[in-house]
Amino acid sequence: MKRKRHCEHNHNCHSHHNDNNKDATATMAPNMKSSDYYQILGCPRNADDATLKKAYRKLAVKWHPDKNPDSEEATRNFQKVSEVYATLSDPKKRQMYDQYGEDGVRAAEAGGGPPGGGMPGGFGGFGGGFPGGGGGAQHMSQEEAQQFFASAFGGSDPFGGMFGGMGGMGGGPGIRFSSSAGGGGGDPFASFLGGGGSMRSGMGGSMRQNMGSMRSASTKKEYGVIPRGTIVSLKDLVNKAEYNGDRGVVKQYVPQTKRYVMELEDSEETLSIRPENMLQHVHVTIHDIQSQQELNGQTGTVITWCPNKGRYNIYVSSLKKVVGLKPGNVVLETGVVARVNGLESRPELNGKWGTIKQWIKDSNKYDVQLSGSQIIRVKVENMLL
């Protein structure tokens, strides 16, 4: 399902739209203020199970309480979309809702039949009826919604890894996509990450020299550039706050503007975003936790950064839980691009971006490459996403 949204030109982001190949659902967007279950998810009433699940996952990840600490709105929306999907993902409940609306679902869950008779009730779950929708049934609690969220995706990681609508892009560090297009061939973005491939020409003289110079420039490694294909989400946008939490993938870095072109998940819309307005959802390894040593060595996905606590929230898929960890206990994978922060010995380097080359376990430090000629060794806590 494609979702088309408009973003005004402002200091946070710029938007570009591709109106080609629009389908019947292209203009549908989730409506959290609606009482209609399908409008809440942004899906047509004839949506198949896979479409409903993808829409739920996208919204549940956006509004997950662990991704939005201290946000009552996020918690309410997370519970709401979980309750909606709990109904529509169950064939019997969905049939009852389609035929009789929320009243039918509530009547069935109370143990009775739908209004006017029909399908017998008695199947478990949660009733509908949201504020403004004429409801009044018992809703999912936050704990129930989180349990449902975890069960809906089995052992997979709903915060990272693959997601639909992004084929044809290579993965960033620790990220896997359904297509591994690599850097080269006809990829118009490969040159920004040094994958432009070879350029051959039978032309002589200055033309050959110019082509050689172009190739050298296009294949120059940019160590401070977040790799194409990295999954990111938007944060701290001011003029378009409704975009915050939306996910997408890095398509290109534009050095002239120092912005990234990001393609939104399940959409053809692209945004021009400053690096400080993106959070990378990369994979990490947990290290040196004294109070919960069973966490050491576990891998997880970064889902948010809590600046007031100075901690990452990490989703550990093997444990199906979120843990809050300081940067010093979170080891970024080789190849991840991160920002130097809080370096007292060389403060002039703070704010610079570089590529993690290796992690030295004994000292808990990284070797970070800032340029072709500069590699620095810093403590793990001095590199932030």
Side-chain angles (χ1 to χ4, degrees), residues 129-162:
F130 299 106
Q138 180 67 37
H139 296 298
M140 273 189 177
S141 67
Q142 179 179 339
E143 181 180 3
E144 290 165 338
Q146 294 206 18
Q147 290 174 348
F148 177 78
F149 175 75
S151 67
F153 299 99
S156 63
D157 179 359
F159 292 101
M162 297 169 60

Side-chain angles (χ1 to χ4, degrees), residues 44 48 83 105-106 162 192 220 347 351 357 365 379-380:
D48 58 20
E83 188 172 323
V105 175
R106 291 198 301 273
M162 297 169 60
F192 285 86
K220 181 181 178 181
K357 302 301 292 183
K365 292 183 177 181
K379 294 178 180 179
V380 165

Side-chain angles (χ1 to χ4, degrees), residues 340-352:
V340 182
N341 181 74
L343 196 62
E344 296 180 357
S345 59
R346 300 187 65 184
E348 72 276 8
L349 296 179
N350 290 327
K352 291 185 177 296

Side-chain angles (χ1 to χ4, degrees), residues 285-289 310 312 325-331 359 364 366 379-384:
T285 302
I286 299 173
H287 172 68
D288 197 28
I289 301 292
Y312 293 109
L325 299 174
K326 295 179 179 180
N329 300 116
V330 175
V331 180
W359 171 54
N364 200 28
Y366 295 123
K379 294 178 180 179
V380 165
E381 56 263 36
N382 292 124
M383 297 300 296
L384 298 181

Side-chain angles (χ1 to χ4, degrees), residues 72-91:
E72 293 183 3
E73 178 190 18
T75 299
R76 287 195 305 269
N77 287 341
F78 177 72
Q79 292 170 223
K80 188 172 187 176
V81 298
S82 296
E83 188 172 323
V84 164
Y85 182 64
T87 295
L88 297 185
S89 62
D90 183 295

Side-chain angles (χ1 to χ4, degrees), residues 229-244:
T230 301
I231 298 174
V232 297
S233 64
L234 295 171
K235 65 184 182 72
D236 300 331
L237 294 174
V238 177
N239 293 346
K240 281 291 181 178
E242 68 273 17
Y243 278 72
N244 289 327

Side-chain angles (χ1 to χ4, degrees), residues 39 42 61 99 109 140 200 207 292 316 333 349 383:
Q39 290 182 16
V61 166
Q99 288 183 309
E109 289 177 346
M140 273 189 177
R200 292 177 181 160
M207 180 63 73
Q292 302 181 66
V316 183
E333 292 186 331
L349 296 179
M383 297 300 296

